[in-house]
């Protein structure tokens, strides 16, 4: 562990020196996966314990008992953007586990009108072409238990690929670290440090394509964009406890403190850290049917009259699990209480060991 943290510290110092740091970068990696988690407003850092732990907290992969796969699809911004996720996880031995996941967030069939007007000044609609703007994230996860009973850790290595048609593309990489601890009275605590080294992106700008839009508006687009991008670290601290009622019924209560190390519109905000709390619950019946709810994304929203109100995002969800197959649904932002748009999200999780034995 000491060697691991030393390497991560050296990478952080090397990559951030003299680079441009952005408050919001690679945000597609923060949307979330798994309708079960989204139905609980992402308050799952402490108790995540399946294939999706590779995203939420890789320490939870140690709870995977056999090979698992997960799939999710969601549409955002009135079906303009498509979000797809696939994950796989398996135990290596009784003290370690492995996982890999892929995320794609893209807008397809965008009209490219940079060549709409020909050299003689005529509009020619045949000169319109289509392109896609897509972001890809590939995460490889490793988890291992520590000598202290109930304490586990996990590490993510991430590769980021972003493509904007023929205009620009980038490669990036970064690391996450997660820890989970379960007390003897069944309280669970989790800590997830995202982009712990700062995730570093290098952009390649197509200068020929850039020239087609340079100075299209007089005085605009004179200089090439910056070619390096740094994603600041983030942290999620979570707590959870499951209560069993008469064997057949259970209630899982969870809370998260989601932290960014920059000043944002979060309900608790300072120059050093901004905190967005989230609360979630799950009501289960004989580990077969689940009803979920949660509230999060607490933001200070500025109104037209320059006053501010607190916006928040309530979510609900349903889940069914039977013979190794789990199907989950989430409806996010019910009641339109936040600036985000509501979305219907479905996900599937399958225990492969149930079918290949």
């Amino acid at each position: 562990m000491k060697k691991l943290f030393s390497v991560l510290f050296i990478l952080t110092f090397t990559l951030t020196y003299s680079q441009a740091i952005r408050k919001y970068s690679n945000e597609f990696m923060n949307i979330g996966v798994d309708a079960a988690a989204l139905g609980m407003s992402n308050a799952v850092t402490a108790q995540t314990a399946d294939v999706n732990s590779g995203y939420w907290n890789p320490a939870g992969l140690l709870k995977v008992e056999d090979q698992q796969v997960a799939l999710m699809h969601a549409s955002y911004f009135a079906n303009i953007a498509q979000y797809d996720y696939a994950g796989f996880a398996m135990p290596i031995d009784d003290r370690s586990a492995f996982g890999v996941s892929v995320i794609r967030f893209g807008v397809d069939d965008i009209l490219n009108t940079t060549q709409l007007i020909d050299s003689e000044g005529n509009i020619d609609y045949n000169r319109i072409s289509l392109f896609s703007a897509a972001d890809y994230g590939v995460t490889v996860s490793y988890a291992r238990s520590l000598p202290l009973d109930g304490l586990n850790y996990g590490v993510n290595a991430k590769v980021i690929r972003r493509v904007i048609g023929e205009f620009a593309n980038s490669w990036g990489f970064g690391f996450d670290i997660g820890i989970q601890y379960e007390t003897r009275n069944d309280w669970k605590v989790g800590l997830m440090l995202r982009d712990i080294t700062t995730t570093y992106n290098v952009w390649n700008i197509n200068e020929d394509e850039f020239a087609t839009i340079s100075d299209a508006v007089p005085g605009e687009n004179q200089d090439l964009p910056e070619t390096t991008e740094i994603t600041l670290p983030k942290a999620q601290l979570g707590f959870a406890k499951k209560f069993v009622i008469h064997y057949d019924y259970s209630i899982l209560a969870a809370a998260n403190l989601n932290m960014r190390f920059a000043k944002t519109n979060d309900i608790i905000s300072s120059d050093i850290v901004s905190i967005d709390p989230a609360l979630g619950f799950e009501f289960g019946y004989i580990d077969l049917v689940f009803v979920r709810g949660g509230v999060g994304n607490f933001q200070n929203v500025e109104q037209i009259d320059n006053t501010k109100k607190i916006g928040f995002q309530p979510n609900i969800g349903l889940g069914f699990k039977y013979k190794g197959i789990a199907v989950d649904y989430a409806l996010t932002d019910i009641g339109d209480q936040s600036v985000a748009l509501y979305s219907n999200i479905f996900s599937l999780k399958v225990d492969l060991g149930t079918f290949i034995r």
Side-chain angles (χ1 to χ4, degrees):
M1 283 292 287
K2 291 182 179 179
K3 291 181 179 179
L4 173 63
F5 283 110
S6 298
V7 171
L8 294 180
F9 176 79
I10 292 170
L11 285 171
T12 301
F13 179 82
T14 303
L15 295 177
T16 57
Y17 183 75
S18 298
Q19 301 296 335
I21 296 178
R22 302 180 187 275
K23 183 183 294 185
Y24 300 102
S25 175
N26 292 327
E27 283 299 298
F28 78 100
M29 293 294 288
N30 298 321
I31 294 174
V33 304
D34 181 26
L38 295 172
M40 296 180 64
S41 294
N42 303 345
V44 297
T45 303
Q47 77 275 13
T48 180
D50 58 20
V51 58
N52 300 302
S53 299
Y55 177 90
W56 294 111
N57 186 339
L61 291 174
L62 284 169
K63 300 297 177 65
V64 176
E65 297 180 354
D66 210 324
Q67 297 179 12
Q68 276 188 351
V69 296
L71 300 171
M72 190 192 89
H73 173 77
S75 297
Y76 292 97
F77 311 119
N79 294 327
I80 294 175
Q82 306 301 316
Y83 183 92
D84 295 287
Y85 157 80
F88 170 81
M90 61 177 288
I92 298 174
D93 52 39
D94 59 351
R95 294 193 59 193
S96 58
F98 162 83
V100 61
S101 63
V102 180
I103 290 173
R104 181 188 186 272
F105 182 70
V107 179
D108 300 307
D109 296 332
I110 304 171
L111 295 178
N112 179 2
T113 60
T114 59
Q115 306 299 318
L116 178 62
I117 301 176
D118 62 24
S119 59
E120 297 179 356
N122 299 314
I123 296 177
D124 184 357
Y125 292 103
N126 292 322
R127 295 167 63 90
I128 296 177
S129 59
L130 301 175
F131 71 96
S132 296
D135 300 329
Y136 302 87
V138 179
T139 302
V140 178
S141 307
Y142 174 77
R144 189 167 180 82
S145 60
L146 291 170
L148 179 61
D149 187 36
L151 182 62
N152 305 320
Y153 78 91
V155 179
N156 286 340
K158 302 185 294 188
V159 177
I160 308 295
R161 175 65 170 167
R162 304 180 67 184
V163 181
I164 308 174
E166 298 294 330
F167 300 98
N169 62 81
S170 79
W171 287 97
F173 63 93
F175 295 90
D176 307 328
I177 293 178
I179 297 173
Q180 283 186 338
Y181 178 66
E182 184 172 356
T183 68
R184 293 183 178 180
N185 57 354
D186 298 326
W187 276 97
K188 297 180 180 180
V189 181
L191 176 65
M192 178 64 168
L193 302 175
R194 298 187 182 275
D195 305 300
I196 187 67
T197 60
T198 69
T199 293
Y200 180 79
N201 285 73
V202 178
W203 283 90
N204 176 36
I205 311 296
N206 187 326
E207 295 189 23
D208 292 335
E209 291 290 343
F210 181 80
T212 64
I213 61 173
S214 179
D215 209 32
V217 177
E220 301 291 333
N221 297 327
Q222 298 293 311
D223 301 317
L224 287 171
E226 294 177 349
T227 57
T228 58
E229 185 178 352
I230 298 294
T231 305
L232 288 171
K234 294 172 286 294
Q236 286 91 42
L237 176 63
F239 305 89
K241 185 175 176 62
K242 187 174 184 178
F243 304 89
V244 177
I245 305 171
H246 298 300
Y247 301 102
D248 290 340
Y249 303 93
S250 65
I251 297 177
L252 172 65
N256 256 34
L257 295 177
N258 303 311
M259 294 168 276
R260 289 179 181 264
F261 300 101
K263 191 169 186 178
T264 68
N265 288 331
D266 290 340
I267 189 172
I268 303 171
S269 183
S270 70
D271 292 331
I272 299 175
V273 63
S274 297
I275 302 175
D276 167 31
L279 301 172
F281 76 89
E282 176 186 80
F283 173 80
Y285 172 66
I286 61 172
D287 201 31
L288 176 67
V289 181
F290 304 91
V291 178
R292 305 180 180 100
V295 60
N297 195 23
F298 290 92
Q299 302 284 307
N300 292 309
V301 181
E302 187 169 343
Q303 305 300 296
I304 297 177
D305 59 0
N306 293 325
T307 61
K308 289 187 176 181
K309 77 168 188 177
I310 296 177
F312 58 94
Q313 183 174 325
N315 302 332
I316 59 173
L318 294 172
F320 301 92
K321 181 179 178 181
Y322 183 69
K323 290 187 176 180
I325 299 177
V327 179
D328 295 293
Y329 165 77
L331 175 62
T332 66
D333 194 23
I334 56 175
D336 196 27
Q337 295 296 316
S338 77
V339 294
L341 300 176
Y342 78 89
S343 297
N344 294 285
I345 300 170
F346 295 89
S347 66
L348 173 69
K349 182 177 66 180
V350 179
D351 293 316
L352 296 179
T354 305
F355 302 97
I356 61 178
R357 289 174 181 171

